[in-house]
Amino acid sequence: YANCTGYGRKGKQASQPALDPAIHAASGMMLGIGEADMPPIHLPGGMSDQITGIMLAYAIMLGLYYKERTGIGREIDVSMLGTMISVQTNNILYTLISNKSRERQLRRKPGNPLVNHYCCKDGRWILLAMFQPDKYWQAFCRALGIEDLIENPKFSDMKNRGRNSSELVAILDSIFATKTLDEWLEIFASEDLIYSAIRDYLEVVNYPQVMENDFIVEYDHPSLGKLKEIGFPVKLGKAPMTIREPAPRLGQHNDEILTDLLEMSRKEIDSLRDRGVML
């Protein structure tokens, strides 16, 4: 038996209704993203709804496996709040260890300038994600044509780059502003660096890497023709998952369910419609 709750099954909020944005607020996420001087940021897209659903599916599979091995069933509980705390591991653990809330990073003064984003000549942005910056520092400087900074004592290692991050970010801002995003992507492709273009949703759904891996797929809808749809992120090798049917219309399967599963007569079904009980 599987329970999915908003705030967990114990405590004063156990029966409190919950939806996605409320859990973002309760779990710290709204104050965990953005910069220090920003108000709380609303996260669109139903993130906690979907991640909690995945966690619930994982828990159910674990329960089924346990039952198969032992013959004993279990009651499973997965909450939205508990899930969103668990997926923010770094921020939550930092807070537990330091006994202070993890501060939001300022783009102009990051602890690590090689984990930051920079605006290119065409107004588009590039994201750097090198959490082991000393490993990448020389290759990064070569890519940007700033080899003179490699041995500069202000920036020679992670600690010094952190101390002088405002100065280094100003330098990097001026360098990235000299070329378009596509030009920088081409330059970075020849180096073993960790980076990405910052894309909006329209760019994402047309991104070749997304299309080639079937993260977005084409589907022949019976009434609307060819549509693009979200593909399956999980690949099952020689048994690929495919979209076989469209999402049902409102009430599409009412008669089928009431007749086949509940064995209701046509007269009973018509009576429900006449009384407005169902469509």
Side-chain angles (χ1 to χ4, degrees), residues 158-225:
M158 180 177 177
K159 188 175 290 186
N160 286 321
R161 287 190 293 273
R163 288 196 189 106
N164 300 289
S165 63
S166 294
E167 183 178 349
L168 182 54
V169 167
I171 293 171
L172 297 181
D173 277 341
S174 66
I175 297 293
F176 278 108
T178 63
K179 290 181 172 61
T180 67
L181 173 63
D182 288 340
E183 289 173 325
W184 283 120
L185 295 178
E186 186 175 350
I187 291 169
F188 277 27
S190 63
E191 298 284 357
D192 187 25
L193 303 173
I194 305 173
Y195 63 94
S196 176
I198 297 180
R199 297 182 171 89
D200 64 26
Y201 289 124
L202 186 60
E203 290 174 310
V204 170
V205 299
N206 291 288
Y207 181 27
Q209 188 71 17
V210 169
M211 303 303 295
E212 289 168 17
N213 285 278
D214 293 328
F215 300 143
I216 299 291
V217 296
E218 279 200 338
Y219 169 66
D220 282 318
H221 193 280
S223 58
L224 300 175

Side-chain angles (χ1 to χ4, degrees), residues 42-237:
H42 176 74
L43 290 79
M47 184 185 299
S48 64
D49 285 342
Q50 296 186 58
I51 295 177
T52 304
I54 294 168
M55 189 71 76
L56 180 64
Y58 161 73
I60 289 170
M61 287 192 289
L62 182 64
L64 290 171
Y65 181 73
Y66 183 87
K67 179 174 178 287
E68 182 182 285
R69 294 294 298 269
T70 67
I72 301 171
R74 294 291 182 190
E75 185 174 6
I76 293 164
D77 178 48
V78 174
S79 71
M80 297 170 72
L81 179 58
T83 295
M84 298 316 293
I85 287 174
S86 72
V87 300
Q88 296 181 83
T89 306
N90 291 345
N91 290 348
I92 297 295
L93 287 179
Y94 174 90
T95 301
L96 291 172
I97 293 168
S98 67
N99 200 32
K100 61 180 181 179
S101 184
R102 184 162 188 173
E103 297 176 358
R104 293 158 125 186
Q105 177 174 291
L106 286 168
R107 196 200 72 83
R108 66 182 180 274
K109 192 178 180 180
N112 175 6
L114 270 66
V115 179
N116 206 10
H117 46 286
Y118 297 91
C119 190
C120 304
K121 184 178 180 179
D122 53 358
R124 300 173 71 195
W125 292 78
I126 189 167
L127 183 281
L128 308 180
M130 287 164 275
F131 286 90
Q132 296 173 287
D134 288 344
K135 174 182 176 180
Y136 299 100
W137 177 239
Q138 292 189 23
F140 177 72
C141 288
R142 285 197 304 270
L144 268 67
I146 51 175
E147 290 92 336
D148 57 309
L149 295 187
I150 292 175
E151 301 299 334
N152 187 315
K154 288 184 178 180
F155 313 125
S156 57
D157 58 30
M158 180 177 177
K159 188 175 290 186
N160 286 321
R161 287 190 293 273
R163 288 196 189 106
N164 300 289
S165 63
S166 294
E167 183 178 349
L168 182 54
V169 167
I171 293 171
L172 297 181
D173 277 341
S174 66
I175 297 293
F176 278 108
T178 63
K179 290 181 172 61
T180 67
L181 173 63
D182 288 340
E183 289 173 325
W184 283 120
L185 295 178
E186 186 175 350
I187 291 169
F188 277 27
S190 63
E191 298 284 357
D192 187 25
L193 303 173
I194 305 173
Y195 63 94
S196 176
I198 297 180
R199 297 182 171 89
D200 64 26
Y201 289 124
L202 186 60
E203 290 174 310
V204 170
V205 299
N206 291 288
Y207 181 27
Q209 188 71 17
V210 169
M211 303 303 295
E212 289 168 17
N213 285 278
D214 293 328
F215 300 143
I216 299 291
V217 296
E218 279 200 338
Y219 169 66
D220 282 318
H221 193 280
S223 58
L224 300 175
K226 278 195 179 295
L227 296 176
K228 285 184 177 179
E229 180 58 276
I230 298 172
F232 296 94
V234 177
K235 309 301 180 186
L236 295 180

Side-chain angles (χ1 to χ4, degrees), residues 252-269:
Q252 177 179 332
H253 299 111
N254 283 356
D255 287 12
E256 179 183 334
I257 291 169
L258 295 175
T259 302
D260 295 346
L261 296 181
L262 301 183
E263 299 181 348
M264 294 180 69
S265 68
R266 172 53 52 191
K267 184 175 181 180
E268 289 174 308
I269 294 172

